[in-house]
Amino acid sequence: MIIYDGQPCGLQEIPKEIISGFSEASQRKCETGDAKGHWLVPCLTCSDNRTCDWRAISWQPYQCHHPLFQRHELQQCLKDRKIIFIGDSTNRGMMYYLMERVNGSLQEWQKTHDMKLYQNINSGRTRISYSYYPQFWIDMRKRPTFEEALVHLIKRSRPLENTNQTVLVAGGVQWLNPDHLQIIHKVLKRENLLDILVIIKSIGMGFHLPVHGIRSLSPVQVKQLSGENRLILKTAKLYGYEVVDTFSITMGRYKEFLQGKCGCHFHEVLKSKQVKERKMKLLKNYTFFGKIFPHVYDNLSYLKSLYHVQGPVNQVYSEILLSRMCT
């Protein structure tokens, strides 16, 4: 899966001088959600991936780190805030991850393809609303436009403060383009919400596998995704929006999609019984940004949880999303 011509593929040994710089990077917080980085995995030898400990793989920005927050810190950060998500199932996966992180458990989940409001977050102190876009199964002539969907979501989510107490998270796999960002700006200006916090989830890897009834990309189109992603990030910053660069994070893990027709999901939601049957370790044992993931789930809440959001790649970019909300 070649994205950049001339760049090496597969496992590459990291020079010692770069490794020695990690301690300095750990002292510097990333100022944006698109800080350049790479996946690191410990191996006995890079020539044989069977010698690697894939459980310990972590995303490492080159020159900084994304802060990780304990649950009580997230609860304080998101207190009295309203978070609005608009996007496809990958956007929805980030939303459910956020809900589980803040609450310590996930009691409600569904593959909603419509609009959904949640008031039971953070002991009722945080409100979340979600709208699925684009509704690709509806005939093009009857399908709501992005502007219509966004306006409808804002109206259903009101009252909203015109401050960073209101957060809009927009994006998905590959439908987003700079025109959508222009529409966001136009709608927020019209609705007197130009001072809210907007976070753009950029495009992600997906749709490169042929699946019956689902569009798929040619190798040439896959390579073009990188340029499209850069344009989205650049345009978002021109509008003063925060970004989460999911393309850089997902392109190296394109073989690790979880359940779903589109070949684009880096998360899955399991019932607690399934988690126990698979004997999965709690997320606190996962290595993240070169560190052991903090104890974000207490055992009692986790055991009472009806559902659990699984997937280390989704976990990485969802934590970056949280860092942009709370930094």
Side-chain angles (χ1 to χ4, degrees):
M1 183 61 67
I2 298 174
I3 306 295
Y4 303 116
D5 290 322
Q7 294 290 326
C9 287
L11 292 171
Q12 305 294 323
E13 187 170 352
I14 302 297
K16 290 182 179 179
E17 57 269 22
I18 293 182
I19 295 177
S20 63
F22 288 163
S23 59
E24 184 179 336
S26 68
Q27 304 302 315
R28 187 185 304 118
K29 290 182 181 179
C30 296
E31 296 181 357
T32 65
D34 62 342
K36 301 298 182 184
H38 50 190
W39 288 101
L40 298 181
V41 58
C43 306
L44 294 178
T45 171
C46 291
S47 60
D48 186 353
N49 62 18
R50 294 173 298 178
T51 70
C52 301
D53 184 359
W54 293 99
R55 297 168 301 176
I57 190 170
S58 65
W59 176 256
Q60 176 67 58
Y62 294 126
Q63 298 179 336
C64 59
H65 77 280
H66 297 286
L68 288 169
F69 298 96
Q70 297 285 349
R71 180 153 66 98
H72 68 89
E73 293 174 316
L74 287 177
Q75 290 173 337
Q76 185 61 35
C77 160
L78 300 180
K79 180 181 177 182
D80 300 324
R81 299 178 84 173
K82 288 189 176 181
I83 308 172
I84 305 170
F85 287 85
I86 183 167
D88 57 29
S89 53
T90 60
N91 185 289
R92 187 178 62 206
M94 297 171 74
M95 177 188 72
Y96 280 123
Y97 179 89
L98 180 153
M99 291 165 61
E100 186 176 6
R101 271 285 264 126
V102 174
N103 282 353
S105 64
L106 186 62
Q107 305 301 330
E108 181 181 357
W109 169 77
Q110 57 182 263
K111 292 182 180 180
T112 179
H113 287 80
D114 200 352
M115 186 177 297
K116 184 77 175 174
L117 307 179
Y118 299 91
Q119 301 182 7
N120 59 340
I121 312 302
N122 199 7
S123 300
R125 295 175 298 179
T126 304
R127 302 293 178 90
I128 292 179
S129 52
Y130 169 78
S131 180
Y132 191 98
Y133 183 88
Q135 295 179 315
F136 53 85
W137 60 91
I138 300 178
D139 183 271
M140 283 288 291
R141 293 166 294 182
K142 301 178 181 179
R143 186 184 305 175
T145 65
F146 178 70
E147 182 172 347
E148 291 169 340
L150 179 58
V151 169
H152 186 42
L153 178 62
I154 288 174
K155 291 190 182 303
R156 286 289 303 274
S157 304
R158 285 191 180 278
L160 299 171
E161 292 184 25
N162 186 26
T163 69
N164 66 359
Q165 286 295 93
T166 302
V167 184
L168 171 64
V169 182
V173 187
Q174 291 164 16
W175 57 267
L176 188 73
N177 64 53
D179 291 341
H180 293 103
L181 306 186
Q182 183 180 12
I183 292 171
I184 290 174
H185 180 77
K186 180 177 71 172
V187 169
L188 294 183
K189 184 177 182 180
R190 192 169 63 220
E191 298 289 333
N192 193 30
L193 292 171
L194 281 177
D195 292 330
I196 71 171
L197 175 61
V198 179
I199 305 177
I200 301 299
K201 174 201 175 299
S202 71
I203 62 180
M205 184 59 78
F207 297 105
H208 61 283
L209 300 172
V211 178
H212 179 70
I214 302 291
R215 73 182 185 92
S216 60
L217 303 180
S218 67
V220 173
Q221 290 174 313
V222 170
K223 291 174 70 172
Q224 291 172 345
L225 291 176
S226 175
E228 296 171 12
N229 189 67
R230 284 195 300 270
L231 186 56
I232 289 171
L233 296 174
K234 180 179 178 181
T235 305
K237 291 178 180 180
L238 288 175
Y239 282 114
Y241 301 156
E242 289 277 357
V243 296
V244 178
D245 181 10
T246 48
F247 184 75
S248 294
I249 294 170
T250 59
M251 70 177 183
R253 306 287 295 271
Y254 71 94
K255 291 183 178 180
E256 300 176 49
F257 297 119
L258 299 174
Q259 60 178 301
K261 270 188 175 182
C262 67
C264 64
H265 288 169
F266 289 96
H267 76 279
E268 59 183 339
V269 180
L270 301 176
K271 290 186 177 180
S272 294
K273 183 179 179 182
Q274 291 175 289
V275 176
K276 294 172 186 176
E277 287 174 350
R278 295 189 187 186
K279 298 181 179 179
M280 293 178 177
K281 294 183 178 180
L282 296 182
L283 285 180
K284 64 184 180 183
N285 294 326
Y286 176 65
T287 305
F288 188 78
F289 298 141
K291 318 173 184 180
I292 300 298
F293 195 84
H295 293 240
V296 292
Y297 298 114
D298 62 79
N299 288 340
L300 185 61
S301 297
Y302 189 90
L303 291 173
K304 289 182 178 179
S305 183
L306 293 178
Y307 301 97
H308 172 58
V309 182
Q310 184 73 18
V313 179
N314 177 75
Q315 181 186 34
V316 166
Y317 53 67
S318 295
E319 286 294 337
I320 296 174
L321 173 70
L322 288 171
S323 77
R324 301 327 303 162
M325 289 184 186
C326 296
T327 298

